[in-house]
Amino acid sequence: MPLRETILEAISNVNEELAIEGLKEVDESTALFKLLDSLGTLDLILELESMLEEQTGHYIAVANEASMDEKNTPFKDIVTLERYLQERIEHAIT
Amino acid sequence: MPSLSFEDIAITAMVTTVGDEIIKLEDEKERFGFDDASFSRLQRSIGLDTRHVVSDGVCTSDLCVQSAKQIFEAGVVDPEEIDALLFVTQSPDYKAPSTAIIMQDRLGLAKSCAAFDINLGCSGFIYGLFTAFSYVNSGMGKVLLCVGDVNSYFSGERDKIFTPLMGDAGSAIIIEKRPAPKSFFSLYSDGGGYRHLIIPSGGARDPSTPDSLLQKEREDGSIRRDEDLVMNGKEVFNFAIKTVPPLIRELLQNAGLSSDEIDYFVLHQANPYILKTIASRLKVDKAKVPLETGKIYGNQNAASIPGTINGFLSSEFEQKALTLVIAGFGIGLSWGGAILQTNKIYAPETSIYKKETL
């Protein structure tokens, strides 16, 4: 599955429980980090880790020291998140 | 941070007492307004299940006094031999005097015993231990370190972010001169982040008023007083992930040890995901990083490192010599760690508070 689709599916799965209005239709302008609280962000991290492990066969640690840093978070929007996850996957596999 | 080290000083006893009331998260669904979905989310992401809290009127000092009495009754040390009593807490009996001084009398310690409080939370065990090691190093014979908190007193009645995490515990630890390998400490502070974990009102900066005692609904839907502890979960998560791995690497480097030579990494039990992430960043075998304390007892603040040892590793600590990395991190912001060896110490399983010990 392309990475962008994985991200959108993970957000959708997490939002089934969170029911955040702004996450029902996600596009490149959606401010993910602002919409999620700390538990929501953690939830999305766990969901992504689980889906990526299933797809790649590798455990990919999604959290980093900027995960919840407002200025530098990779969870700012889906474009930033996609770029960040691509790097994590390449790092884990190589 | 300069490399801080001690020789021939060791922990010889450690006892933890927890609150006698066991609360199941499931029974608190209505209180915090959790629906089934958000409840299962909390269980999955933070691994919460039960927590131990005290009944009304029981203070942190009561839990620590029971722990200390258990050490004395086991014959590990005589109360008369204690030269200093240090009490690390954010929930003292009174604003003044220091609770440690009242505990000196309750425990029958000598009047020649130095006693005072240290106001710290999750890093408190490390700071208390460093202070105790320093006192022994300066000539004191045996030091009693008491650490813990009754978090219930400053947890919002319906604060669904903070309160479900928290448990009540008090530990007592004996530190004394004893042949032991060198131990290493590192201590850090960053007051720039003080607002990320704070009890905003009730101190001299923003004194207690009838308004600060009112339960108020907040933006995140939680209900708490201005005199309850408030946490910025995102900032605290970030702080832990950013500071703890370099702290542990620094300790290992100072001690000249590799992580393979460490038996356990006993870290402050903030939440299992933070601990797993720290272990993963350090490339440490996860079996060496206990993380179940929060699930059974709740977050015990300064008592969470001894609470984890008594709660889950008691028999190993009683039967073997072990090399440990310990690290605490939290309110302040404050963090610190140590590498030390324990050798068959008195470390019974966690005790439940009994009212008659008062």
Side-chain angles (χ1 to χ4, degrees):
Chain A
M1 184 189 288
L3 187 53
R4 176 72 66 96
E5 277 181 43
T6 303
I7 293 169
L8 291 173
E9 193 175 317
I11 294 169
S12 168
N13 292 347
V14 166
N15 202 43
E16 271 179 32
E17 292 179 357
L18 300 179
I20 296 168
E21 195 57 38
L23 291 181
K24 286 183 179 163
E25 296 288 335
V26 175
D27 59 30
E28 294 188 357
S29 68
T30 305
L32 284 183
F33 188 71
K34 286 191 176 159
L35 290 168
L36 292 163
D37 64 7
S38 57
L39 280 179
T41 310
L42 184 52
D43 229 7
L44 181 57
I45 289 171
L46 293 169
E47 184 69 14
L48 284 166
E49 285 183 352
S50 160
M51 289 177 72
L52 291 174
E53 186 165 17
E54 203 171 292
Q55 289 172 20
T56 65
H58 290 80
Y59 170 70
I60 291 152
V62 170
N64 74 0
E65 58 197 32
S67 296
M68 300 213 192
D69 177 344
E70 196 168 353
K71 284 182 192 156
N72 304 309
T73 180
F75 293 88
K76 187 178 163 209
D77 51 49
I78 52 169
V79 177
T80 315
L81 183 55
E82 187 178 23
R83 199 181 309 132
Y84 167 72
L85 289 177
Q86 192 59 52
E87 282 172 19
R88 303 295 292 177
I89 293 165
E90 281 164 15
H91 178 74
I93 291 175
T94 54
Chain B
M1 162 68 53
S3 174
L4 310 168
S5 60
F6 300 93
E7 254 180 294
D8 292 334
I9 298 173
I11 294 171
T12 51
M14 182 180 286
V15 170
T16 298
T17 301
V18 296
D20 57 330
E21 198 178 323
I22 302 172
I23 300 181
K24 287 186 177 178
L25 183 64
E26 193 162 5
D27 297 336
E28 295 189 296
K29 276 163 82 172
E30 199 177 324
R31 173 183 168 191
F32 293 117
F34 292 136
D35 52 24
D36 287 344
S38 49
F39 173 73
S40 66
R41 183 178 150 228
L42 258 182
Q43 281 204 309
R44 191 179 61 240
S45 58
I46 312 202
L48 300 181
D49 190 11
T50 59
R51 57 199 185 98
H52 280 253
V53 300
V54 296
S55 321
D56 282 348
V58 177
C59 297
T60 309
S61 62
D62 301 327
L63 301 174
C64 288
V65 163
Q66 180 175 314
S67 295
K69 281 184 174 173
Q70 192 174 335
I71 292 174
F72 297 147
E73 283 160 13
V76 179
V77 59
D78 191 293
E80 288 287 323
E81 294 177 281
I82 301 294
D83 288 331
L85 164 56
L86 315 176
F87 182 44
V88 184
T89 192
Q90 296 173 119
S91 46
D93 290 13
Y94 304 100
K95 282 192 174 171
S98 270
T99 306
I101 304 171
I102 302 169
M103 291 164 74
Q104 170 271 332
D105 183 56
R106 288 177 67 186
L107 287 165
L109 308 185
K111 288 198 172 118
S112 58
C113 171
F116 62 94
D117 291 1
I118 298 173
N119 180 345
L120 277 170
C122 307
S123 65
F125 176 63
I126 307 295
Y127 275 80
L129 203 59
F130 175 76
T131 311
F133 271 57
S134 303
Y135 279 22
V136 172
N137 198 43
S138 69
M140 284 188 172
K142 294 179 184 181
V143 174
L144 170 60
L145 170 64
C146 291
V147 297
D149 265 314
V150 165
N151 288 293
S152 324
Y153 291 141
F154 47 76
S155 300
E157 203 173 288
R158 280 177 285 163
D159 184 339
K160 59 186 176 187
I161 305 287
F162 181 72
T163 305
L165 306 174
M166 306 311 290
D168 301 331
S171 305
I173 301 101
I174 300 291
I175 296 96
E176 61 184 289
K177 201 91 185 153
R178 176 76 50 109
K182 212 168 179 179
S183 50
F184 296 84
F185 286 76
S186 286
L187 307 170
Y188 287 92
S189 315
D190 178 9
Y194 80 97
R195 287 197 174 278
H196 300 324
L197 267 165
I198 187 171
I199 299 173
S201 298
R205 183 72 63 194
D206 187 6
S208 182
T209 63
D211 183 67
S212 68
L213 291 166
L214 289 177
Q215 299 283 350
K216 297 174 197 162
E217 183 155 5
R218 312 290 168 159
E219 266 180 34
D220 60 10
S222 290
I223 297 171
R224 62 173 180 270
R225 307 171 308 168
D226 294 338
E227 296 190 30
D228 289 327
L229 201 142
V230 57
M231 173 174 70
N232 180 335
K234 285 181 174 176
E235 291 291 349
V236 173
F237 180 96
N238 229 30
F239 153 71
I241 303 297
K242 201 180 282 187
T243 57
V244 180
L247 167 76
I248 293 175
R249 281 188 210 109
E250 176 187 71
L251 285 164
L252 289 166
Q253 190 180 350
N254 290 346
L257 294 173
S258 75
S259 54
D260 294 340
E261 293 170 278
I262 303 297
D263 294 300
Y264 286 107
F265 294 77
V266 188
L267 311 182
H268 167 60
Q269 303 285 297
N271 82 47
Y273 188 80
I274 287 181
L275 299 178
K276 280 182 202 163
T277 304
I278 291 170
S280 159
R281 296 186 78 73
L282 288 167
K283 299 185 170 46
V284 165
D285 177 0
K286 290 188 177 63
K288 290 183 176 183
V289 187
L291 42 76
E292 292 289 299
T293 308
K295 185 177 181 180
I296 308 296
Y297 297 109
N299 181 337
Q300 301 168 318
N301 278 9
S304 83
I305 294 171
T308 300
I309 291 171
N310 293 116
F312 300 92
L313 303 166
S314 157
S315 59
E316 281 210 70
F317 273 72
E318 291 205 316
Q319 289 163 19
K320 289 183 193 169
L322 296 168
T323 304
L324 306 177
V325 166
I326 53 175
F329 45 94
I331 195 163
L333 300 168
S334 167
W335 65 108
I339 289 186
L340 45 89
Q341 193 182 83
T342 60
N343 193 356
K344 298 180 185 174
I345 65 171
Y346 176 67
E349 286 181 14
T350 294
S351 301
I352 306 288
Y353 180 69
K354 299 184 197 81
K355 202 109 191 171
E356 61 272 20
T357 59
L358 270 173

